[in-house]
Structure formats: structure tokens, C-alpha cells
Amino acid sequence: MTSSELLTYCMGKPGAEQSVENQRGANQVKVGDAMFAMVCEIDGREAISLKTSPELAEQLRATHPDIVPGDHLNKAHWNTVFLDGSLPDSQFYYLIDGSYQLVVSGLPEAVRQEIGR
């Protein structure tokens, strides 16, 4: 899995918009002005940070060594997943889909209707 493949997948989500966070050069992907993914480099390793429930965040970290608390994000809700590990591609898609759905569900109804969700 590459960072460009992940960005392409994220940008295929309804209402997704990409911006660059200038301080770290990370690619943020938002829906309705709320971030659901951030593709970045941490200590020379490509990674993606994704939002989850606190329970799932802990479970994933305990199960997968390539999933760690979100770097510079709320560690209860955000996981950083390293791309060079052993996580199957399907798991990346599952986590991106979950992050997107979690963020969309928290958006105001008018915004959800605007993006067709």
C-alpha cells in the first residue's frame, strides 16, 4: 500500500477535500471541514492517521504492532498506521471507511445532506 493509493481512495469519498498541513507537510483529507484521514511521514516511515472509537483504537493497537496512538492527535480517537508493516491492504480500506463514516455521522444534518450522506 502506498500513500498515493491511500490518498486516491480517501479522495473518492463523497465530499472529500484535501489540504496540506504546512507545519508537517501532511496531507489532510476532510469532509465537511472535519478531518477523517491524514497521510504523513513519521520518523522516515509513511503512515496514515485515522479516527476510530476509543475502544477500537485500543483493540487495534493491542493486536497490530504497526498501529500506534495518533501522532500529534487525540490519542483516544486517532490511530497512526504505518504503511510499511504487515497490515493487509483490505484492513487499510476498512479503517478508512470507518473513519469516514464516524466523521460524517458527527456532521450537522445539513452538511450530510449536502454531500449526499
Side-chain angles (χ1 to χ4, degrees), residues 6 12 15 23 25 32 44 55 57 66 93 100 102 104 112-114:
L6 291 176
Q23 189 175 13
E55 299 79 21
D66 299 316
Y93 297 130
Y100 176 81
L102 187 62
V104 167
R112 287 196 311 268
Q113 287 182 2
E114 187 177 302

Side-chain angles (χ1 to χ4, degrees), residues 66-110:
D66 299 316
I67 300 178
V68 298
D71 187 52
H72 298 291
L73 298 165
N74 181 327
K75 293 176 184 1
H77 295 274
W78 287 88
N79 279 328
T80 296
V81 185
F82 291 104
L83 307 189
D84 60 1
S86 61
L87 201 67
D89 290 356
S90 61
Q91 189 75 12
F92 283 97
Y93 297 130
Y94 170 79
L95 292 171
I96 290 168
D97 292 346
S99 182
Y100 176 81
Q101 290 299 327
L102 187 62
V103 170
V104 167
S105 70
L107 294 174
E109 178 65 27

Side-chain angles (χ1 to χ4, degrees), residues 33-52:
D33 288 329
M35 185 172 72
F36 72 91
M38 182 171 65
V39 178
C40 56
E41 190 174 293
I42 300 169
D43 297 329
R45 297 176 73 190
E46 287 188 320
I48 186 168
S49 294
L50 299 162
K51 191 169 188 176
T52 66

Side-chain angles (χ1 to χ4, degrees), residues 21-32:
E21 193 242 352
N22 292 328
Q23 189 175 13
R24 296 187 314 170
N27 290 296
Q28 296 179 336
V29 186
K30 299 178 179 181
V31 59

